[in-house]
Amino acid sequence: MLRFLTLGMVCLTIASAAALYASTFRTRAIAHDLAKAERHLATLQRDVETLRAERAYLSRPERIAPLARDLGLRPADGAQFREIQRAEPETTANNGRGDLAWRP
């Protein structure tokens, strides 16, 4: 009986060691994937900062004004603005489905 108990404990110890090794291996793989994702995130954050800086540089008025003049553009004046009436929905009786027709 003592031999079976000893054999059982040895098997249990070996199984526990195998499970511990597998768990450690999975943990290291997950840690590696996490580190890779964090590096990718840092790269993307640097890219976003670069794009924001480029947008700020390219949208400067002193840069855009000469380009607009070269294209013949000028600032908007009051004659270019019009008042827009609010459109109200109206159901049309002739379509039979009750669809909405928009009329200014």
Side-chain angles (χ1 to χ4, degrees):
M1 169 98 169
L2 192 58
R3 284 185 168 229
F4 291 120
L5 185 62
T6 304
L7 182 62
M9 289 297 172
V10 168
C11 290
L12 185 62
T13 303
I14 291 172
S16 296
L20 180 63
Y21 176 76
S23 176
T24 303
F25 183 76
R26 283 195 312 265
T27 303
R28 287 183 182 172
I30 291 171
H32 179 265
D33 292 344
L34 179 63
K36 183 178 177 182
E38 287 175 345
R39 285 192 305 270
H40 184 65
L41 178 63
T43 300
L44 292 176
Q45 287 174 338
R46 283 193 304 270
D47 290 347
V48 167
E49 290 172 6
T50 301
L51 290 172
R52 284 185 179 151
E54 288 177 359
R55 183 182 64 185
Y57 174 75
L58 293 174
S59 64
R60 291 178 300 128
E62 61 269 9
R63 180 192 163 278
I64 294 175
L67 297 173
R69 279 193 298 274
D70 292 345
L71 292 173
L73 301 175
R74 58 184 170 78
D77 58 5
Q80 292 175 302
F81 294 103
R82 295 187 186 244
E83 186 175 329
I84 298 176
Q85 296 176 359
R86 182 180 170 156
E88 296 294 331
E90 174 186 296
T91 58
T92 57
N94 57 358
N95 65 9
R97 294 187 314 262
D99 291 340
L100 294 177
W102 290 92
R103 180 180 62 162

